[in-house]
Amino acid sequence: MYSPQWIDLDGVVNMRDLGGLPTESGEVVRHRRLLRSDNLQDLSPEAIETLVTRFGVSDVVDLRTHVELAKEGDGPLRAVVQIRHHHHTLYREDSTESGIPAAERALPWETDERHEAAAARQLAGADAAHRRSHEEYWSEHYLSYLATRPDSVVAALDAIASSEGAAIVHCAAGKDRTGTVVGLALKVVGVPDELVIADYAASAERVPAIMARLRSSTAYAANLKDKTVTQQSPTTDTMRLLLRTLDERHGGALGWLGTQGWTRADTDRLRRKLLGDRG
């Protein structure tokens, strides 16, 4: 039975500790080793103190794009000298070299959404059975992270494995990009599919609060204007489909990682980090 270990701090609405999840071999993910969250821009000084002293946060793995960083600016954790920051965008077209300042560009997924809308219009008269479901759309979207930015996915996992204390993985909402990277990390150390799926879907509980928070930011407000809670909510079938596709195409998460240079030594490092007696 999965029960989310929510961390309710001022400035975030979707932060939780992955500690307590059992593996198929009977081990347990340790508390205060891997946290996941929505973006950290609004953390209060008291919340920062809690993360540093109570949770022992040493590393932040930021999956947001260059565009988001430019639009939102440095978050308050950047001022904490003992915390290492790792930025790994999951969008191929998100580059610092486009010639257009990042703060003036559209969010990378807005282009994807325009293409999706055009495809939907073309299919308007087609049989409904040929249209992608909500789950298929999102699982394919997550697979695109692996296809277009495998370097960032592997680097994010390496940052978790190499962290001295607790690592926080986050994006904007803390459900899609974060859910993909965290799901892979949990699979590498042997957490069963059903618990990986349950953790992924737990963010649905916080989607109304996530959307309210992001709509207060100029970086995301326009993009979220016409989106609904249902459209933005993760479902168990989305992650189940993603894991099934990895199994069928690559022999699982470790099989895919192996094609990207991930080694047994890397797996052992991540296992020691998340399961061992010491971080």
Side-chain angles (χ1 to χ4, degrees):
M1 184 69 177
Y2 173 77
S3 178
Q5 303 297 303
W6 296 111
I7 302 172
D8 293 316
L9 297 176
D10 185 25
V12 293
V13 296
N14 190 26
M15 181 181 284
R16 55 191 184 271
D17 189 339
L18 281 300
L21 290 171
T23 71
E24 292 174 334
S25 61
E27 296 167 286
V28 177
V29 176
R30 301 287 180 143
H31 290 282
R32 298 182 294 279
R33 301 290 176 87
L34 178 58
L35 314 181
R36 57 177 295 171
S37 183
D38 48 332
N39 84 48
L40 309 175
Q41 297 297 111
D42 302 323
L43 287 171
S44 68
E46 294 77 16
I48 293 171
E49 178 70 14
T50 296
L51 288 173
V52 172
T53 60
R54 178 181 168 192
F55 290 94
V57 170
S58 65
D59 291 74
V60 172
V61 182
D62 186 347
L63 303 177
R64 293 176 302 163
T65 63
H66 294 290
V67 174
E68 290 167 275
L69 291 175
K71 289 179 181 291
E72 293 205 299
D74 289 336
L77 283 178
R78 282 283 181 179
V80 182
V81 294
Q82 67 264 42
I83 293 180
R84 295 191 302 171
H85 293 264
H86 314 264
H87 177 224
H88 300 296
T89 178
L90 297 187
Y91 284 85
R92 179 174 55 194
E93 302 305 322
D94 178 53
S95 169
T96 58
E97 302 173 355
S98 71
I100 302 173
E104 298 176 14
R105 284 183 256 151
L107 295 168
W109 56 87
E110 290 179 323
T111 300
D112 294 342
E113 289 169 354
R114 286 194 292 271
H115 291 161
E116 180 69 18
R121 286 193 295 271
Q122 290 182 345
L123 286 172
D127 186 275
H130 294 99
R131 300 176 194 171
R132 285 186 296 173
S133 68
H134 174 92
E135 290 75 21
E136 288 170 330
Y137 169 80
W138 283 108
S139 66
E140 289 175 16
H141 191 69
Y142 302 159
L143 286 167
S144 76
Y145 302 151
L146 277 59
T148 63
R149 292 309 302 257
D151 55 327
S152 288
V153 174
V154 172
L157 294 175
D158 178 71
I160 297 168
S162 303
S163 60
E164 295 181 4
I168 301 179
V169 180
H170 81 94
C171 50
K175 60 185 181 68
D176 302 313
R177 290 169 284 184
T178 296
T180 301
V181 168
V182 167
L184 288 173
L186 295 177
K187 286 305 302 174
V188 168
V189 302
V191 174
D193 283 5
E194 289 307 312
L195 291 176
V196 174
I197 290 166
D199 173 68
Y200 163 78
S203 290
E205 179 181 332
R206 300 296 176 99
V207 166
I210 291 168
M211 293 182 71
R213 181 170 176 240
L214 294 181
R215 279 173 171 152
S216 69
S217 166
T218 55
Y220 306 106
N223 185 251
L224 288 172
K225 181 180 178 182
D226 298 317
K227 291 187 170 68
T228 68
V229 168
T230 298
Q231 290 170 335
Q232 295 297 298
S233 292
T235 70
T236 55
D237 283 344
T238 299
M239 181 56 69
R240 183 173 288 109
L241 183 56
L242 174 63
L243 295 177
R244 183 187 308 153
T245 302
L246 286 175
D247 287 341
E248 292 173 350
R249 296 182 185 176
H250 303 285
L254 277 173
W256 178 80
L257 284 166
T259 67
Q260 304 304 320
W262 184 267
T263 67
R264 177 59 185 268
D266 293 322
T267 295
D268 290 343
R269 283 192 307 119
L270 188 56
R271 286 179 57 82
R272 285 195 300 273
K273 177 63 198 180
L274 299 189
L275 307 177
D277 290 335
R278 300 181 65 185

